[in-house]
Amino acid sequence: MWFNMREEPVIYINGNPYVVREANKPFANLEYTGIDRSRVEDMENRLKQDVLREAAQYYNQILVAHENDDFQVIEQWEAVTEVDVQTPLEVYRELSDYGYEVEYTRVPVTDEKAPKEKDFALLMRRLWKPPEGAALIFNCQMGRGRTSTGMIIASLLQLRRPLKTVDLPTEPQEGLPSWFVGTSPPAGSSPMRTTSDVTLEGELKSGKYGVVRSLLRVLEGGTASKALLDSVIDACK
């Protein structure tokens, strides 16, 4: 099961992914907060047609931009025909045509922002009971922010089914990963899960921000839930 978390329209040219950027901001994503799957995939279809029309004007070539090892933008011409330009949906359909069992889901999420409520609902429906033996794969642009968000949601759901509680098990459990062991702090105590020397940096790294601490006080099982979430985040780094 493959989950594409990219919000920005993507096009593949000769197997390499490209996106549209502002000419004066080549390293900044264009944001489309609130966009849904149908709209972003429609934009990708139109982008593909734009690329083919422009290539036809330049002897079946399209000018694209790359980033070199010195983080400088360089331009080059790519020779293309219609079969060389694909949308992400076409790429994954092609994998299915080749015999790979791939279930593709597009969940457009703005970079550095939380998924929308409807995105959480979609992920929960698709991830709650995946086919037995299925690999869960997530991608975004760099494989850090949105990818990690998807991995964490999937891990929490998969652990929640057999665990039936928000408390971390104190010893290894059959069917659960070996790292998923710890002692949840008692209600009302510090949400930090380690006994290392307390420093400001350590407190912030463990999520002891004022807003988080306020949230833990009003949520039922908040401290135990945070300990569980911290454990999953550490495993998904």
Side-chain angles (χ1 to χ4, degrees):
M1 299 179 69
W2 198 300
F3 296 84
N4 183 346
M5 310 287 283
R6 295 195 75 168
E7 170 192 69
E8 54 275 19
V10 179
I11 202 77
Y12 284 84
I13 300 176
N14 292 323
N16 295 311
Y18 294 89
V19 296
V20 177
R21 297 282 172 84
E22 297 284 357
N24 60 337
K25 297 180 180 179
F27 300 111
N29 287 335
L30 296 178
E31 293 189 0
Y32 303 89
T33 303
I35 196 171
D36 59 21
R37 173 177 181 168
S38 61
R39 185 179 170 204
V40 71
E41 290 183 342
D42 179 63
M43 293 171 70
E44 288 168 342
N45 287 327
R46 287 187 283 124
L47 179 58
K48 173 181 177 177
Q49 296 307 315
D50 288 343
V51 168
L52 292 174
R53 278 194 293 268
E54 185 169 327
Q57 300 175 21
Y58 295 97
Y59 307 100
N60 292 324
Q61 297 182 98
I62 188 73
L63 185 64
V64 298
H66 292 277
E67 178 184 342
N68 63 19
D69 293 337
D70 296 321
F71 304 104
Q72 299 295 315
V73 175
I74 56 174
E75 296 179 339
Q76 71 177 50
W77 289 93
E78 287 274 355
V80 298
T81 62
E82 187 168 357
V83 297
D84 301 320
V85 185
Q86 295 175 290
T87 67
L89 184 58
E90 290 173 333
V91 170
Y92 289 97
R93 283 178 175 170
E94 188 174 66
L95 288 175
S96 295
D97 293 341
Y98 286 153
Y100 293 96
E101 296 183 12
V102 178
E103 291 186 21
Y104 174 71
T105 302
R106 184 68 171 268
V107 188
V109 176
T110 304
D111 195 21
E112 305 296 337
K113 290 183 173 60
K116 303 176 292 295
E117 184 176 344
K118 63 181 181 181
D119 296 329
F120 275 112
L122 172 61
L123 288 168
M124 289 180 67
R125 287 197 305 271
R126 300 286 288 125
L127 292 168
W128 179 245
K129 197 172 182 180
E132 186 174 353
L136 305 179
I137 302 174
F138 299 85
N139 82 274
C140 55
Q141 178 186 351
M142 300 294 292
R144 298 182 303 186
R146 292 169 287 185
T147 293
S148 296
T149 298
M151 292 171 60
I152 291 165
I153 293 171
S155 298
L156 287 171
L157 290 173
Q158 296 309 301
L159 292 168
R160 179 68 178 85
R161 291 176 58 208
L163 195 58
K164 311 295 184 186
T165 177
V166 298
D167 294 316
L168 281 167
T170 57
E171 56 186 33
Q173 302 288 313
E174 183 177 355
L176 294 176
S178 58
W179 53 261
F180 195 64
V181 177
T183 302
S184 298
S189 65
S190 167
M192 290 187 67
R193 294 183 294 107
T194 66
T195 57
S196 60
D197 293 337
V198 177
T199 64
L200 177 58
E201 181 181 1
E203 289 188 352
L204 294 179
K205 283 185 176 180
S206 66
K208 292 183 66 176
Y209 297 93
V211 65
V212 173
R213 299 172 79 165
S214 297
L215 188 61
L216 296 182
R217 286 195 293 269
V218 298
L219 287 177
E220 182 179 354
T223 300
S225 296
K226 183 180 182 304
L228 186 152
L229 176 60
D230 287 343
S231 183
V232 170
I233 291 174
D234 289 345
C236 291
K237 285 181 179 179

